[in-house]
Amino acid sequence: MSQLIQPIDYKALLDTKQTEQGIKLIKDFFQQNLSTELRLRRVTAPLFVLKGLGINDDLNGVERAVTFPIKDLGDAKAEVVHSLAKWKRLTLAEYNIEPGYGVYTDMNAIRADEELDNIHSLYVDQWDWESVIKPEQRSVKYLHEVVERIYAAILRTEYLTCETYPQIKPFLPEKIHFIHSEDLLQMYPDKAPHEREDAICKAYGAVFIGGIGGKLSNGEKHDGRAPDYDDWSTIGEDGRMGLNGDILIWYPVLGRSLELSSMGIRVDKAALLRQLKEENQEEREQLFFHRQLMEGHLPLSIGGGIGQSRLCMVMLHKAHIGEIQASIWPDDMRQQCEALGMPLI
């Protein structure tokens, strides 16, 4: 069984009925706030895409997508999406979305290789969003502005949740702290990436860690990223530009940091070619999505994903994501969670 965090003296603050009502309240309120903050229009998204077009998210490049043959397409293979990182950018072009506006959708994925624990499930649900930007907005300054707007929506959601359920007390800080992954490494050179995340999140409460995907000064990555959507560039006057990153918080229920969102300014042609070369994946230049980008058919954009179940888990102070969503769990994990007072749906 994957490692299970066992919170000390955990007691669910809401019963099953209140939890289900709270999930709907949070999802409805947050997505409306996100849409208003970033001027996003809701669109319908696919559960699966054709294999071999380069549209599916490759995550770290090792996770297996769930695949199946399509009878009426000569058994051509379809893949259940890992995320909609690249599909959204194609949609921006197809819908001819103007700069300053974007789209969001409910993304449902299956990640069969996920290691199951308190915060990782086979089932992933998130709000995927993408906005068209102007060339001058491909900057750290603009990235941080968008992060602050998303975090403001999270804070408003926490306020509503606590007003609705007074037994839940707010804990998120008013402001989010920004740091580049290289600076974080320099602060904690003897710690592993997840330990560095814990340390900085415990110190500030909410943190955006930038520049994730490229190699740091120790020759390692803070975390993996597919090379063909986020621009993890380290090109800048200080050598630490970083046009992508993660929103993390310190989660006292589990006593650890917790990622709520992965996001960033997307690659332009130059960044795409550079990152594919860095990762020895130049063969991807021939795929449909990559050709569309290199030939100038796709707009410049910024986008990301925000975990729905994780956000609900945090807002409702739950200790296991299985208290929020229905999924498959090992029998021994279910039994252990039941004994710890966190029954899984």
Side-chain angles (χ1 to χ4, degrees), residues 149-316:
R149 287 154 66 185
I150 293 173
Y151 188 66
I154 292 174
L155 286 181
R156 286 195 293 273
T157 305
E158 183 187 47
Y159 174 78
L160 174 67
T161 305
C162 294
E163 284 291 292
T164 305
Y165 303 104
Q167 63 269 46
I168 298 177
K169 305 302 179 184
F171 68 91
L172 293 175
E174 291 186 6
K175 296 186 179 296
I176 187 168
H177 179 73
F178 293 90
I179 190 169
H180 191 282
S181 54
E182 177 62 34
D183 295 319
L184 187 60
L185 171 63
Q186 298 305 318
M187 287 180 65
Y188 306 107
D190 298 326
K191 294 182 181 293
H194 71 90
E195 294 173 329
R196 299 198 288 269
E197 291 178 352
D198 285 349
I200 195 70
C201 287
K202 190 171 185 179
Y204 289 97
V207 181
F208 181 79
I209 302 176
I212 294 179
K215 290 184 178 180
L216 304 178
S217 59
N218 63 356
E220 301 175 356
K221 299 179 179 182
H222 181 82
D223 198 0
R225 282 292 187 279
D228 44 15
Y229 53 94
D230 280 353
D231 186 344
W232 62 58
S233 173
T234 55
I235 297 174
E237 291 182 1
D238 62 356
R240 299 178 187 175
M241 190 172 172
L243 294 178
N244 76 333
D246 291 342
I247 296 175
L248 301 100
I249 62 162
W250 177 254
Y251 191 41
V253 174
L254 294 179
R256 57 156 294 168
S257 60
L258 186 64
E259 178 191 323
L260 295 181
S261 175
S262 174
M263 58 174 290
I265 291 173
R266 306 310 197 185
V267 292
D268 58 10
K269 180 179 179 179
L272 173 66
L273 293 175
R274 181 175 63 250
Q275 292 180 178
L276 288 177
K277 184 175 181 180
E278 288 178 13
E279 298 299 302
N280 296 314
Q281 294 186 24
E282 289 100 326
E283 73 280 357
R284 297 188 68 82
E285 295 174 18
Q286 305 306 316
L287 298 176
F288 171 75
F289 171 83
H290 304 71
R291 293 200 313 271
Q292 290 291 300
L293 175 56
M294 291 187 293
E295 293 170 7
H297 301 309
L298 303 182
L300 298 175
S301 68
I302 181 174
I306 302 166
Q308 295 187 13
S309 290
R310 279 201 188 177
L311 184 66
C312 292
M313 177 182 173
V314 167
M315 293 295 142
L316 300 178

Side-chain angles (χ1 to χ4, degrees), residues 69-136:
I70 305 172
K71 180 181 178 181
D72 277 0
L73 293 182
D75 280 346
K77 293 292 181 64
E79 295 180 335
V80 175
V81 297
H82 277 147
S83 86
L84 298 169
K86 290 177 278 190
W87 176 87
K88 293 174 298 182
R89 199 165 176 185
L90 292 165
T91 301
L92 292 179
E94 181 181 353
Y95 288 12
N96 196 28
I97 303 294
E98 59 270 35
Y101 293 87
V103 299
Y104 81 95
T105 191
D106 291 294
M107 191 284 300
N108 296 284
I110 300 172
R111 296 183 182 172
D113 291 331
E114 200 71 83
E115 295 183 3
L116 308 180
D117 56 25
N118 300 65
I119 63 173
H120 295 99
S121 171
L122 298 175
Y123 169 59
V124 178
D125 56 339
Q126 66 184 33
W127 291 285
D128 252 318
W129 65 274
E130 198 87 7
S131 292
V132 178
I133 61 175
K134 300 175 182 178
E136 59 268 26

Side-chain angles (χ1 to χ4, degrees), residues 15-26 165 316:
D15 60 25
T16 303
K17 179 180 177 181
Q18 291 173 316
T19 298
E20 293 288 4
Q21 292 171 336
I23 291 170
K24 186 175 190 309
L25 174 78
I26 292 163
Y165 303 104
L316 300 178

